[in-house]
């Protein structure tokens, strides 16, 4: 079974604490069911999510996210095979955006478009290390 890791970014639509809570509940329920692990960084201007698991399950999850009206402008930031999971103990770890190095102004100016896959992977590696 091939292990795939995907990182995507999106813009929240109608972000508030209730929406975030529901999003996390849905993600954890579906990910547990589908054998997916990962982490979500979120704030009112950006979602940055790391998904890992069986290739087919991860791609199906990404397609569900693409049609979810809580996400706008879903952009792939990393799509790669992996040897092992980074978040094996987490159906969906919530990181309150403290790890995200960019300000809202920088995100609005295109910082996510200029960062490469290695930068995104490093953000999530730091989160994983902090939670071990």
């Amino acid at each position: 079974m091939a292990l795939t890791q995907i990182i995507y970014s999106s813009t929240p639509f109608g972000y508030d604490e209730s929406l975030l809570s529901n999003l996390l509940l849905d993600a954890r329920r579906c990910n547990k069911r589908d054998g997916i692990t990962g982490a979500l960084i979120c704030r009112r201007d950006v979602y940055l999510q790391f998904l890992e698991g069986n290739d087919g399950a991860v791609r199906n999850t990404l397609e569900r996210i693409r049609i979810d009206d809580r996400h706008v402008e879903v952009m792939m930031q990393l799509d790669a095979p992996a040897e092992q999971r980074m978040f094996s103990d987490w159906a969906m770890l919530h990181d309150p955006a403290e790890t995200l190095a960019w300000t809202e102004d920088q995100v609005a100016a295109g910082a996510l478009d200029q960062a490469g896959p290695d930068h995104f992977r490093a953000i999530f590696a730091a989160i994983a290390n902090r939670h071990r």
Side-chain angles (χ1 to χ4, degrees):
M1 179 166 32
L3 180 64
T4 296
Q5 294 177 332
I6 286 178
I7 299 172
Y8 75 87
S9 61
S10 67
T11 304
F13 182 79
Y15 179 86
D16 63 24
E17 289 301 317
S18 174
L19 181 126
L20 174 59
S21 181
N22 288 333
L23 188 86
L24 287 167
L25 284 171
D26 288 348
R28 289 175 179 142
R29 179 183 50 80
C30 292
N31 289 356
K32 188 171 186 172
R33 177 195 68 208
D34 297 337
I36 293 173
T37 55
L40 173 66
I41 299 171
C42 50
R43 61 182 198 206
R44 66 185 187 94
D45 65 323
V46 66
Y47 290 138
L48 192 59
Q49 188 168 14
F50 183 101
L51 299 168
E52 59 188 352
N54 170 280
D55 185 72
V58 170
R59 294 188 191 288
N60 288 340
T61 297
L62 184 62
E63 285 311 307
R64 274 196 324 269
I65 290 165
R66 285 185 190 280
I67 62 172
D68 186 327
D69 62 4
R70 296 173 293 192
H71 298 269
V72 179
E73 300 172 352
V74 175
M75 301 292 296
M76 186 72 72
Q77 303 297 348
L78 172 90
D79 182 349
E83 295 293 318
Q84 63 185 18
R85 291 178 187 253
M86 196 178 295
F87 294 95
S88 59
D89 295 334
W90 297 93
M92 186 51 55
L93 174 67
H94 169 233
D95 186 85
E98 295 162 0
T99 308
L100 196 56
W102 301 292
T103 66
E104 287 186 40
D105 288 340
Q106 289 170 321
V107 169
L112 298 179
D113 298 331
Q114 307 194 353
D118 290 338
H119 188 98
F120 288 101
R121 186 186 298 273
I123 289 170
F124 284 101
I127 294 169
N129 287 335
R130 198 169 58 240
H131 289 279
R132 282 197 179 109

